[in-house]
Amino acid sequence: MRDDDLSDIQARLADINRRAAPVLEENSRLYAALGKAVTIVLTIAAVGLLTVVSLISTEQQLKSHALDNQEQITWQK
């Protein structure tokens, strides 16, 4: 290969890399944003699940207390 051909190839590769750099940067930014969005969704799902489990436990306690209170009621005659 001649030096002119080699420098032409290098110039074209440099031009391709220059044009591809913003696209690659944008892809990296989008992947980072997607990762953050997935993290937020999973966090919200975990909090929701813990809330539901907590409410179920609390509901059982409330039902137990209500039943105890019903059994302790004495009717006046």
Side-chain angles (χ1 to χ4, degrees), residues 37-55:
V38 167
T39 301
I40 289 171
V41 167
L42 291 176
T43 302
I44 290 171
V47 168
L49 181 63
L50 290 174
T51 302
V52 167
V53 169
S54 174
L55 289 175

Side-chain angles (χ1 to χ4, degrees), residues 3-57:
D3 287 339
D4 289 340
D5 291 338
L6 189 58
S7 63
D8 184 43
I9 291 171
Q10 287 176 336
R12 283 191 275 162
L13 285 175
D15 184 51
I16 290 169
N17 287 337
R18 181 185 51 79
R19 286 183 285 149
V23 173
L24 294 174
E25 185 177 320
E26 180 70 10
N27 282 348
S28 295
R29 189 183 69 76
L30 291 174
Y31 280 123
L34 179 63
K36 289 177 185 177
V38 167
T39 301
I40 289 171
V41 167
L42 291 176
T43 302
I44 290 171
V47 168
L49 181 63
L50 290 174
T51 302
V52 167
V53 169
S54 174
L55 289 175
I56 289 171
S57 173

